[in-house]
DNA sequence: AATGAAATGAGAGCGCG
DNA sequence: CGCGCTCTCATTTCATT
C-alpha cells in the first residue's frame, strides 16, 4: 500500500538537504547547514519533520552483492493467466516474501510483473523459477534477462524542480 | 566500473551486522552489539573494516518519489542495433548520465538494456524517449512497462548463508 | 513561526589491558 | 575482544527576528 501521508510542502532548503542525504546520510548536520545556508538545529528540525511526513522513508546501508556472494542480478518479466484482484494480491505477497527478490513492480504492458532478483549462482535462480513460476499455475510465461553489468544502481530520486 | 577490492571473509557476526545496517543504518552500535552478541567497539571496528573493503558501499536516505513529485515509475527494455564495444559504452554513459534513470543494467536475452525510470508525469517520459531512444539511431526497439504498484522496492541483499 | 547561539546529552572513535 | 576515556555530533533550551 502506498501511503502519501501529508502534503509535504518542500521548499528549496528541504530539497537541498534531501539531495545530500540521498547521497550520504552520515553527513554531519553542521556540514549540511554550511552547504545549504542554515544552522545545524534548523537542518535537524527539517530532517525530523521530513522523516515524520514520510518524505524520508528509511536510512540504509548499501551493500555490495558480490561481497556477500550474491553476484548475479536477474530481471524477470512475468505474465499471469488470470488477473483477478485476489490472484494478483496473492502473487504480490508471494513475490514480496522471497528474499532473493529485491524489487517487484506490478505493471501495465506486455507483462504483469517485473522482478529484480539477486542470487549467488544460476542454480539458485533455477530453483527459484521452479518454486515461484513453474510451481504457480497462474503464471503463463516469464522472460529472463541476466545482468552482465550494473551500469547504474540506485533508488535516487531527482530532487530539482 | 564494479570494484571488488578485497576478499572480504565475512563471518556470522559481520552478516548479522550488515542485515541490521541494511534495514536501518542509524541503529546505535550499542544496540547492534546487544543484538549480535558483541560490544559496541567490536561492532564499530567491523563496520569500519567493511566500509573500507567496500562491502558497505554507501549510507543513504531512501526518499519517497511521490513526495518529490516523481510519482511515475517506468520499466524499459532497450534493444540496440549494433553491439560493438564502442557503441555499448556510449549507450551506457548516456543512460548513466540521465537523472531520471534510477537503474540501468546491461543484460543478455531478448533485450540489451533494462532501465528503471522515475518521472513526474508521462509527458516527461515521452520527452525522455524522444531524447534517448528516438534521438539515438542505434536503438532498434524499446518496450515500456508502467508501474501501477511498487510491490517491493529496495537494494537489500540476502545476507544469510 | 522559524531561526540561531549556547548548553546538555548521547553516541562514535581510540587507546588500553 | 571488552573496558574505559575523550571528543564529536545530535538534541534541547531559550532568546530573538
Amino acid at each position: 500500500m502506498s501511503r502519501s501521508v501529508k502534503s509535504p510542502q518542500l521548499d528549496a532548503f528541504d530539497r537541498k538537504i534531501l539531495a545530500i542525504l540521498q547521497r550520504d546520510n552520515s553527513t554531519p548536520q553542521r556540514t549540511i547547514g554550511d552547504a545549504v545556508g542554515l544552522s545545524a538545529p534548523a537542518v535537524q528540525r527539517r530532517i525530523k519533520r521530513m522523516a515524520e511526513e514520510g518524505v524520508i522513508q528509511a536510512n540504509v546501508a548499501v551493500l555490495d552483492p558480490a561481497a556477500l556472494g550474491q553476484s548475479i542480478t536477474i530481471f524477470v518479466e512475468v505474465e499471469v493467466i488470470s488477473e483477478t484482484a485476489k490472484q494478483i494480491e496473492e502473487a504480490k505477497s508471494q513475490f514480496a516474501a522471497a528474499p532473493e527478490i529485491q524489487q517487484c513492480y506490478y505493471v501495465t504492458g506486455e507483462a504483469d510483473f517485473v522482478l529484480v532478483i539477486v542470487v549467488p549462482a544460476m542454480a539458485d535462480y533455477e530453483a527459484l523459477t521452479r518454486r515461484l513460476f513453474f510451481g504457480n499455475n497462474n503464471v503463463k510465461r516469464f522472460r529472463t534477462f541476466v545482468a552482465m553489468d550494473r551500469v547504474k544502481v540506485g533508488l535516487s530520486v531527482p530532487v530539482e524542480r
Side-chain angles (χ1 to χ4, degrees), chain A residues 7-15 18 49-50 53 55 161:
Chain A
S7 46
Q9 283 281 78
L10 302 175
D11 65 13
F13 285 125
D14 291 328
R15 290 175 183 271
L18 291 175
R49 196 199 71 228
M50 291 189 284
E53 286 172 348
V55 179
R161 257 267 162 265

Side-chain angles (χ1 to χ4, degrees), chain A residues 25-92:
Chain A
N25 70 1
S26 69
T27 310
Q29 295 170 351
R30 169 64 197 267
T31 307
I32 298 174
D34 290 347
V36 306
L38 283 176
S39 68
V43 171
Q44 132 86 337
R45 282 187 284 261
R46 282 163 183 269
I47 292 174
K48 186 183 177 188
R49 196 199 71 228
M50 291 189 284
E52 284 166 353
E53 286 172 348
V55 179
I56 298 173
Q57 296 188 317
N59 289 289
V60 305
V62 179
L63 310 185
D64 177 12
L68 284 145
Q70 312 280 335
S71 37
I72 303 182
T73 300
I74 295 172
F75 277 84
V76 190
E77 285 173 29
V78 181
E79 202 177 330
V80 298
I81 294 168
S82 159
E83 229 172 321
T84 67
K86 180 169 174 288
Q87 289 188 299
I88 291 301
E89 284 311 316
E90 212 171 284
K92 283 184 185 178

Side-chain angles (χ1 to χ4, degrees), chain A residues 79-132:
Chain A
E79 202 177 330
V80 298
I81 294 168
S82 159
E83 229 172 321
T84 67
K86 180 169 174 288
Q87 289 188 299
I88 291 301
E89 284 311 316
E90 212 171 284
K92 283 184 185 178
S93 56
Q94 199 173 11
F95 291 149
E100 300 93 337
I101 299 183
Q102 276 194 337
Q103 301 171 43
C104 171
Y105 300 87
Y106 179 48
V107 300
T108 68
E110 296 169 51
D112 300 302
F113 288 96
V114 176
L115 310 178
V116 180
I117 293 175
V118 170
V119 287
M122 280 311 288
D124 300 279
Y125 176 60
E126 212 189 311
L128 193 67
T129 60
R130 267 196 291 275
R131 186 157 62 81
L132 246 44

